[in-house]
Amino acid sequence: MPDTLTITDNRTGETFEVDILYGTYPTYGAAIKSLDLREIKGSEDDFGLLTYDPGFTNTASCKSAITFIDGEKGILRYRGYPIQELAEGYSFLEVAYLVLHGELPTGDELETWDHEITHHTIIHEKIKKFLDGFRYDAHPMGMLVSTVAALSTFYPESRRIDEPEVRRSQIIRLIAKMPTIAAFAYRYSIGMPYSYPDNNLSYTGNFLNMMFKTTELEYDPDPVLERALDVLFILHADHEQNCSANAMRNIGSSHADPYVSVAGAAAALYGPLHGGANERVLKMLEEIGHVDEVPKYVERVKDGDFRLMGFGHRVYKNYDPRAKILRELAEDVFEVTGKNPLIDIAVELERIALEDDYFVERNLYPNVDFYSGIIYQAMGFPTAMFPVLFAIPRTAGWLAQWQEMLEDEDQRIARPRQVYVGEDERTPRD
Ligand code: CMC
């Protein structure tokens, strides 16, 4: 069977044959080159056919070997490894290494990686002054986005994006410094002195130290919460071509440095339809207030008054596998923190929605944001920190996407086309 597609243009009666590429996996991967369609012209001076795809719902903007999602079956894999196995048996730093390098680290590789990340967590003292310039009630995500962009001015060599060693140094710095900036932004917003990194702690243990240390000489993270945060970070490490990964690739495609590119990706993550959703989930659960109020709320969603936050996904048309892991993880966390009463409302909301035709017909299932906020709140994180907690681990994914894009010979500066629907040339009035 030939890997080609025959297209007949009914305007002209002409027939075209275009190649079908990358068709190795039966469901995912078959694509035609959009540029092949340019040959299809209604008339001689026609520009040629474009594809119209707002939101890129059916456009492959790249080839990628990082993350595989089968949204119909609810499958998520990083570099071929199922998310469940990674969440069960590995640390976030191992998974970040995997996402970036393509393989899990050996013992030696992990030791070096861990050492390098741990020894780049401190931020320049001037960054603290920069943070001090924010208003007292600044949202930590706004602070994170701006501060990561500002790092670009501290590391001007980062503009040498075609040198692998230079790239590697910035990748280490970014993964190491994101938790520090995030925690400092939080401490600033509550008027607490900054807590400096502790090199004796793990990546997530140290983050908890920078967030929550008060007067004790050494912060001793609770191992269950430290591990829970590691799992949450693993689940958020990458998710292929979502809005923020696309922003990272877009900005990076102009050869901007990785700091401003990550800042742009984090800005894309900030929106309530992406990384800001779990903040909205908590607001929603608080607004519902009691399990008895759930049916009424669901009716209002069906009437189109608002969306059920933490439900639905562009890619998953099945239960998001990350949400499943988080539902179980919530129980472990509550053993330490005490139960977050919002979980009862969430479980009831899920039960009613999954039995309702409106949600069933539209394949709307809980996504990762449905349970993550409840866990974060139980651990003591304020809701404003939720998108920040998403941005920290996703930095590994953004950087993997960025690096893959730079090394891909097919990639060029991102520059989509448009279908112009405005006025034809006209003459202004005198
Ligand atoms: N509640 C109620 N109805 C919904 C919802 C929802 N959460 N999501 C989609 N729908 C309906 C929508 O109204 C539409 O119905 P109809 O066909 O009658 O007009 C249909 O389902 C398809 O919706 P869509 O907007 O075309 O779907 P999309 O793929 O463009 O949007 C989404 C995906 C995630 C933006 C959307 O499901 C949504 O707004 N969810 C709530 C926000 C949320 O939880 N976001 C986190 C996403 S997961 C984390 C991440 O990757 O960032």
Side-chain angles (χ1 to χ4, degrees), residues 19 34 79 91 94 107 122 130 135 206 251 277 281-282 293 315 321 325 329 344 376 395 411 419:
D19 289 332
S34 277
R79 302 284 188 180
S91 69
E94 280 170 299
I122 288 177
F130 180 82
R135 246 177 73 140
N206 176 48
I251 300 168
V281 171
L282 275 220
E293 298 297 320
V315 180
I325 297 170
L329 188 73
D344 292 335
Y376 284 139
T395 300
Q411 287 296 325
V419 176

Side-chain angles (χ1 to χ4, degrees), residues 116-123 176-177 180 197-199 206 210:
E116 284 179 314
I117 304 273
T118 306
H119 287 80
H120 282 88
T121 47
I122 288 177
I123 52 176
K177 293 183 200 306
T180 315
D198 180 344
N199 285 359
N206 176 48
M210 292 189 291

Side-chain angles (χ1 to χ4, degrees), residues 57 236 239 242-244 269 271-278 280-281 301-302 306-317 320 322 358-359 362-365 367-370 390 394:
T57 53
H236 287 87
H239 211 229
N242 52 75
C243 179
S244 58
L269 185 75
L273 297 188
H274 190 7
N278 55 4
R280 296 290 182 93
V281 171
V301 171
K302 285 160 60 179
F306 34 68
R307 289 190 167 201
L308 198 54
M309 296 314 288
F311 258 70
H313 200 276
R314 169 62 59 78
V315 180
Y316 292 116
K317 301 304 168 198
D320 181 337
R322 301 168 299 174
Y358 176 95
F359 298 90
R362 291 170 179 76
N363 294 317
L364 299 171
Y365 293 87
N367 60 48
V368 68
D369 288 318
F370 194 63
F390 195 154
R394 185 54 62 85

Side-chain angles (χ1 to χ4, degrees), residues 338-396:
K339 186 167 153 186
N340 184 339
L342 296 179
I343 189 81
D344 292 335
I345 301 173
V347 168
E348 179 67 357
L349 200 52
E350 178 186 325
R351 190 188 66 76
I352 292 187
L354 293 187
E355 283 174 359
D356 192 299
D357 283 350
Y358 176 95
F359 298 90
V360 174
E361 278 163 16
R362 291 170 179 76
N363 294 317
L364 299 171
Y365 293 87
N367 60 48
V368 68
D369 288 318
F370 194 63
Y371 288 107
S372 61
I374 301 173
I375 301 177
Y376 284 139
Q377 189 182 57
M379 289 173 77
F381 291 103
T383 46
M385 280 298 284
F386 293 177
V388 174
L389 289 159
F390 195 154
I392 296 170
R394 185 54 62 85
T395 300

Side-chain angles (χ1 to χ4, degrees), residues 27-60:
T27 326
Y28 287 87
I32 59 164
K33 269 194 186 157
S34 277
L35 264 184
D36 285 349
L37 301 179
R38 194 74 75 72
E39 298 304 314
I40 304 176
K41 298 182 180 201
S43 61
E44 223 167 68
D45 57 352
D46 188 358
F47 182 75
L49 209 59
L50 301 171
T51 53
Y52 176 61
D53 188 8
F56 307 128
T57 53
N58 197 44
T59 295

